[in-house]
Amino acid sequence: MRAGRRRDTEVTTERERTSYDAAAAQEKWQRFWEEDGTFSPLDDGSRERRYMLDMFPYPSGDLHMGHAEAFVMGDVVARYWRLRGFDVMHPIGWDSFGLPAENAAIARDAHPADWTYANIETQARSFKRYGLSLDWSRRLHTSDPEYYRWTQWLFLRFYERGLAYRRDSYVNWCPNDQTVLANEQVVQGLCERCSAVVTKRKLTQWYFKITDYAQRLLDDMSLIEGHWPDRVLAMQRNWIGRSEGAWVDFEIEGRDEPVRVFTTRPDTLFGATFFVVAPEAPLASEIVTEEHRAAFEEYLEATKRVTEIERQSSERPKSGVFLGVHAINPVNGERLPVYAADYVLAEYGTGAVMAVPAHDQRDLDFAKAFDLPVRVVVETGQPDPGETGVATPGDGTYVNSPALDGLADKKAGIAAITAQLAEEGRGESAITYRLRDWLLSRQRFWGCPIPIVHCPSCGEVPVPDDQLPVRLPDLRGAALAPKGTSPLASATEWVNVACPACGGPAERDTDTMDTFVDSSWYFFRYCSPNYTEGPFDPAEVAKWMPVAQYVGGVEHAILHLLYSRFFTKVLADLGLVDFPEPFLRLMNQGQVINQGKAMSKSLGNGVDLGQQIDAYGVDAIRTTVVFAGPPEDDIDWADMSPGSSLKFLQRAHRLAQDVASAAGTDPAAGDLAMRRVTHKAVADITESLESQRFNVAVARIMELVNATRKVIDTGAGPADPAVREAVEAVAVSLSTIAPYVAEEMWELLGHAPSVANAAWPVVDPALLVADSVTCVVQVQGKVRAKLDVAPAISEEELTAVALADPGVQRALAGREVRQVIVRAPRLVSIVPA
Ligand code: ANZ
Ligand code: ZN
């Protein structure tokens, strides 16, 4: 508390000394930008187009420090591009469906729409105050019927292509939110939103067939490699989880159909000693004998309470039950006991595995627990796994494997066995992916209704396009309370409809779509937000997309970003777009933390963005955030001092007040040293912004401000044209970071607003002398001057500079020069007459 109060008084004194009024400037320029439409693209083809996209916000409460960081980074990019002459589209909208609105509405007995749209207004005001160069004319909200009409339209196109389908399966269930979750929304076994332990339920649910695109999602990463953070690509690659191996068919005694397994090591088939099925795979309950059924069902119930993470943990002791049947090893006819065990997952491969305990640790752990045989078939030189309990997955020489014995090449072993199986019709080579289809239906109210009608005689019937949108019914408060089925089911009038196909009585689908569906295509909609003929105008999308720069949090690495890539590929297949990847570049900004920890209510270490802005002004907060470090690093607010950012901005502002030359003055006649400093600074700032090291750009602007102050106070003085050149460079480059101060400076410098329309300063390479050398000038053998000159300076130029030096002139005292000896760049020796 005390520290906080001290800071406040510091602020007051700082603001008393301020040379400009931040709050007044904020109001003045916000109004100007809005009335002027400064940040709407020209869209006349006169400039190359660039699309700068921020991950759109969820409207929960007002903006916070996290938004301050994320959005300033994108704004630096957008503003910089404008100054570089691009026609920049930088839109904003809201991801406005979702659970928090619904929960807030239940708590207040209100309607989610009221809470949502009120928050949107609050955030919109804050975004404007924060000085973002946004094009407000493209604003959209995914919960508007004008928007979700097209979400539904897209769903139907997916449905027609077999990419949206319904099936029965065990799904992730959040007992707290009372809804299903996609695999991507289960983090370490917990609900991504509320951290409740996720359980399994058997339900009929809607899926998008993203698995059809697994390989393309992998392949097309080559198009964004190097432009997206490596860790995001690695996370996507892992999530897709491609594996190469083989399908192997096993007969099960007493069953007609053979059972397939997926294995990455068909070459170890001779070492299979048992067979395992996932408890919840339909196969398990089909093959279990009557004698073992009771034990199996008890085990199945227990399995549902265990998270996927726990199931795969090597720490957890292996469990399982014998199913009373045997599988036949296709290569040697051996009878392998069949178990149900939860370390095998129903949703990967086929949900059944051949267990090779000698060479697979999970199988070995199980074999040890159930006293099953361990047979080495690859001699790796490591100790016997049966003795040590450590499996040997490595390379070696095949043993106990009639077809392979003596061979010492894993690739050849895999190829040989796979070929043999294929020839016998008992297997083939295979590629599998960990990626599962995207479970998109939710049993909650505040989302986009699924445009399907269920008819007792026609089955699933799509709502015809001309009847879209299927609007949400107007449920309120109590009716929304989660109860395991969708609240929409209670809106009987809404549910009961005539079947669009046969006209008979039918019912609407009562689930809503995961909000990630809404956010998988919003960036297309921005290109033509009011288009009524389709989700977007293909011609507008062709003009603006793909997105040149996307900025947002790394938490979306495998959810939103993977889904958006998938949507774009489907849209390409539908012929609606002609590029495979939506986002050419991705930047993940860091987080703002406080005292080493994420800000949270329970820790009480939250920093309020609004209060910070009230105390220091928008520009100082933006500058502090940008200057804190590279954009992707976290910022600990406890280590920041927005007060010193404010001081810096005031110093910059005072420069503009001091400039005494007229606007438009040619800088060529100005102080050369000052000019060199300016041009070197601009070159560095440019380079830093291009390479997205924005913090370095701030540092260079600070140096330029200090150097210019020196020249004004103790050098060439305020009237020197080089000073104007320097201060204009400060104003223009600073406008990317601190736009309000920069607008004020630009005005003081005698220019018409807005500085956002200024051109980026052009660097004169001749002024970019990397290093200067000292040249000694002698008159009659006596040193009369030391000059800083370019290493490559010509003899003529050096002579001229030396003769013009005041010290040399004094020494010559009006005498004629008889001879000049020049050893460029180090020495000039002058002999007077
Ligand atoms: C026999 C074998 C022998 C295996 C060996 C590995 C090593 P990745 O690499 O992740 O794709 N497996 C297959 N389906 C499974 C499921 N539904 N749940 C759990 N495990 C499953 O893993 C592929 C390997 O994981 C497969 O290859 C199979 O075990 C197991 F020395 O088959 B292996
Ligand atoms: Zn019908």
Side-chain angles (χ1 to χ4, degrees):
M1 265 326 275
R2 207 180 305 150
R5 202 173 299 150
R6 215 182 58 217
R7 216 183 223 172
D8 283 353
T9 44
E10 259 174 37
V11 172
T12 326
T13 52
E14 185 56 53
R15 291 198 56 192
E16 277 161 9
R17 278 191 280 122
T18 188
S19 53
Y20 80 107
D21 182 340
Q26 285 164 202
E27 234 167 75
K28 167 174 154 194
W29 292 107
Q30 261 176 70
R31 191 169 331 112
F32 176 86
W33 295 331
E34 183 135 14
E35 283 165 10
D36 177 58
T38 311
F39 302 112
S40 293
L42 299 173
D43 202 20
D44 59 2
S46 64
R47 292 169 167 221
E48 193 185 317
R49 293 183 170 87
R50 282 214 180 158
Y51 185 173
M52 163 60 227
L53 180 70
D54 303 290
M55 286 186 187
F56 68 164
Y58 184 80
S60 48
D62 199 353
L63 301 186
H64 50 67
M65 293 303 289
H67 293 113
E69 167 150 34
F71 283 87
V72 78
M73 298 306 171
D75 202 47
V76 172
V77 173
R79 286 176 175 274
Y80 172 65
W81 282 349
R82 283 182 56 91
L83 296 165
R84 294 307 305 247
F86 294 100
D87 199 17
V88 177
M89 175 162 87
H90 185 199
I92 185 74
W94 276 269
D95 189 12
S96 49
F97 270 138
L99 261 186
E102 195 168 329
N103 291 339
I106 293 164
R108 282 156 225 204
D109 194 26
H111 198 273
D114 300 340
W115 185 86
T116 300
Y117 287 94
N119 282 339
I120 287 177
E121 283 320 313
T122 306
Q123 291 194 351
R125 270 196 304 280
S126 296
F127 273 134
K128 287 179 182 172
R129 172 154 97 135
Y130 198 53
L132 300 176
S133 60
L134 296 167
D135 178 3
W136 287 92
S137 71
R138 290 169 192 266
R139 170 173 177 172
L140 59 81
H141 316 124
T142 59
S143 55
D144 290 350
E146 297 74 28
Y147 183 91
Y148 71 69
R149 168 183 181 189
W150 299 111
T151 306
Q152 293 172 341
W153 186 93
L154 286 167
F155 174 93
L156 292 175
R157 301 293 85 76
F158 279 55
Y159 182 78
E160 286 160 6
R161 294 177 81 85
L163 292 173
Y165 68 94
R166 223 155 73 110
R167 80 177 150 93
D168 215 49
S169 70
Y170 281 95
V171 295
N172 302 307
W173 179 260
C174 173
N176 180 44
D177 290 329
Q178 294 274 308
T179 185
V180 302
L181 299 171
N183 285 350
E184 289 83 353
Q185 290 167 317
V186 180
V187 180
Q188 311 226 314
L190 306 180
C191 171
E192 181 214 25
R193 281 192 188 287
C194 73
S195 296
V197 174
V198 173
T199 58
K200 293 276 181 181
R201 264 206 185 185
K202 195 166 193 174
L203 286 172
T204 306
Q205 294 292 303
W206 286 99
Y207 291 84
F208 279 142
K209 214 166 182 187
I210 191 171
T211 51
D212 272 11
Y213 286 73
Q215 191 57 48
R216 281 166 67 185
L217 287 165
L218 277 179
D219 290 344
D220 290 349
M221 282 190 203
S222 65
L223 303 172
I224 47 182
E225 202 113 48
H227 307 292
W228 279 37
D230 287 340
R231 65 171 169 164
V232 172
L233 293 178
M235 283 163 85
Q236 291 208 356
R237 213 170 267 122
N238 267 336
W239 189 258
I240 296 168
R242 180 187 151 109
S243 262
E244 288 178 28
W247 301 122
V248 184
D249 296 332
F250 284 73
E251 302 291 338
I252 304 252
E253 286 175 358
R255 186 186 155 94
D256 294 341
E257 281 287 290
V259 173
R260 291 214 129 169
V261 304
F262 173 69
T263 176
T264 47
R265 296 294 305 273
D267 57 321
T268 62
L269 248 175
F270 291 95
T273 57
F274 57 101
F275 192 95
V276 189
V277 181
E280 73 275 42
L283 177 67
S285 45
E286 280 166 37
I287 60 177
V288 65
T289 58
E290 279 319 305
E291 186 192 343
H292 294 87
R293 184 168 294 279
F296 163 72
E297 288 192 337
E298 192 179 318
Y299 185 68
L300 174 62
E301 280 313 306
T303 302
K304 288 182 203 163
R305 292 190 292 271
V306 185
T307 68
E308 212 131 294
I309 298 287
E310 284 174 303
R311 287 173 67 163
Q312 290 170 278
S313 159
S314 56
E315 247 101 274
R316 199 167 146 264
K318 293 280 177 289
S319 63
V321 286
F322 180 51
L323 297 179
V325 291
H326 287 80
I328 307 299
N329 188 331
V331 290
N332 57 13
E334 279 182 7
R335 295 177 76 232
L336 310 177
V338 179
Y339 290 81
D342 67 8
Y343 77 97
V344 173
L345 306 174
E347 298 270 319
Y348 186 59
T350 59
V353 307
M354 62 182 237
V356 185
H359 306 298
D360 183 296
Q361 190 62 46
R362 301 159 294 183
D363 297 342
L364 183 56
D365 294 342
F366 191 87
K368 289 274 169 200
F370 287 75
D371 209 13
L372 293 158
V374 178
R375 185 193 301 151
V376 172
V377 291
V378 182
E379 196 47 75
T380 60
Q382 301 296 115
D384 181 4
E387 310 266 302
T388 60
V390 179
T392 57
D395 290 7
T397 308
Y398 293 105
V399 293
N400 301 323
S401 303
L404 302 174
D405 280 350
L407 190 69
D409 178 345
K410 182 157 110 186
K411 252 197 180 149
I414 291 174
I417 291 287
T418 309
Q420 184 191 323
L421 290 167
E423 205 165 289
E424 295 165 0
R426 296 161 188 264
E428 57 189 300
S429 61
I431 294 167
T432 61
Y433 303 88
R434 292 233 160 241
L435 183 68
R436 304 291 87 209
D437 278 341
W438 169 9
L439 197 172
L440 70 103
S441 41
R442 298 288 177 273
Q443 291 68 53
R444 299 300 299 253
F445 168 72
W446 190 234
C448 174
I450 292 172
I452 294 284
V453 168
H454 300 282
C455 167
S457 34
C458 311
E460 288 165 6
V461 183
V463 174
D465 286 355
D466 61 10
Q467 291 173 29
L468 300 181
V470 175
R471 284 172 183 267
L472 275 175
D474 189 52
L475 294 183
R476 305 195 76 82
L480 303 176
K483 42 190 165 284
T485 54
S486 173
L488 290 180
S490 64
T492 352
E493 254 176 61
W494 180 87
V495 171
N496 293 316
V497 282
C499 166
C502 70
E507 293 187 352
R508 289 195 188 282
D509 197 290
T510 55
D511 284 351
T512 53
M513 296 186 213
D514 179 6
T515 56
F516 280 108
V517 181
D518 311 328
S519 57
S520 293
W521 72 278
Y522 76 105
F523 40 91
F524 291 104
R525 185 76 182 162
Y526 278 143
C527 298
S528 51
N530 303 314
Y531 194 59
T532 53
E533 308 299 309
F536 52 83
D537 180 349
E540 289 298 314
V541 165
K543 283 195 322 202
W544 289 105
M545 291 195 65
V547 169
Q549 176 71 61
Y550 200 14
V551 177
V554 72
E555 66 274 16
H556 291 296
I558 44 176
L559 287 149
H560 165 61
L561 289 170
L562 193 65
Y563 294 153
S564 299
R565 295 184 59 218
F566 163 57
F567 257 62
T568 304
K569 290 173 202 310
V570 176
L571 291 173
D573 290 351
L574 286 164
L576 293 171
V577 304
D578 61 0
F579 45 86
E581 287 292 327
F583 314 127
L584 297 181
R585 269 182 168 280
L586 173 69
M587 179 199 291
N588 291 136
Q589 85 286 352
Q591 291 185 337
V592 184
I593 59 174
N594 193 16
Q595 293 156 334
K597 301 210 176 67
M599 295 186 197
S600 79
K601 274 202 186 104
S602 55
L603 288 175
N605 66 342
V607 175
D608 185 86
L609 175 61
Q611 279 171 14
Q612 293 289 310
I613 289 177
D614 289 344
Y616 303 98
V618 167
D619 283 338
I621 299 306
R622 289 177 52 128
T623 304
T624 303
V625 170
V626 174
F627 188 46
E632 58 282 358
D633 284 11
D634 287 350
I635 300 173
D636 193 329
W637 203 250
D639 300 337
M640 296 298 116
S641 66
S644 41
S645 297
L646 181 58
K647 279 184 198 158
F648 153 63
L649 296 172
Q650 287 164 346
R651 268 200 307 281
H653 186 256
R654 278 197 297 273
L655 292 181
Q657 293 176 308
D658 288 354
V659 169
S661 57
T665 308
D666 182 2
D671 180 67
L672 190 62
M674 176 78 256
R675 295 204 70 202
R676 286 215 168 100
V677 169
T678 303
H679 284 253
K680 177 76 171 83
V682 171
D684 286 352
I685 295 163
T686 308
E687 209 275 317
S688 306
L689 292 176
E690 288 288 341
S691 57
Q692 304 190 329
R693 288 172 307 139
F694 305 146
N695 56 320
V696 179
V698 177
R700 294 287 170 271
I701 299 173
M702 287 174 169
E703 286 166 17
L704 180 56
V705 167
N706 291 341
T708 311
R709 170 50 56 199
K710 235 188 195 158
V711 172
I712 292 175
D713 290 351
T714 61
D720 192 285
V723 165
R724 165 168 284 277
E725 183 181 38
V727 180
E728 292 195 346
V730 169
V732 173
S733 56
L734 191 59
S735 75
T736 59
I737 295 147
Y740 293 114
V741 174
E743 291 284 16
E744 291 286 311
M745 290 177 70
W746 198 239
E747 196 170 58
L748 282 168
L749 287 164
H751 294 292
S754 153
V755 68
N757 298 327
W760 191 253
V762 179
V763 173
D764 179 354
L767 294 169
L768 282 189
V769 187
D771 288 299
S772 59
V773 295
T774 304
C775 176
V776 172
V777 186
Q778 300 176 337
V779 178
Q780 269 180 318
K782 268 200 182 146
V783 176
R784 295 294 181 181
K786 284 183 180 170
L787 307 173
D788 285 337
V789 299
I793 192 164
S794 68
E795 289 194 359
E796 297 83 75
E797 203 187 329
L798 188 54
T799 307
V801 174
L803 288 172
D805 184 83
V808 171
Q809 286 294 326
R810 255 195 313 280
L812 285 172
R815 287 174 289 173
E816 288 282 305
V817 172
R818 186 154 56 94
Q819 196 187 3
V820 183
I821 302 157
V822 186
R823 299 271 176 275
R826 296 269 176 210
L827 179 77
V828 178
S829 181
I830 301 167
V831 186

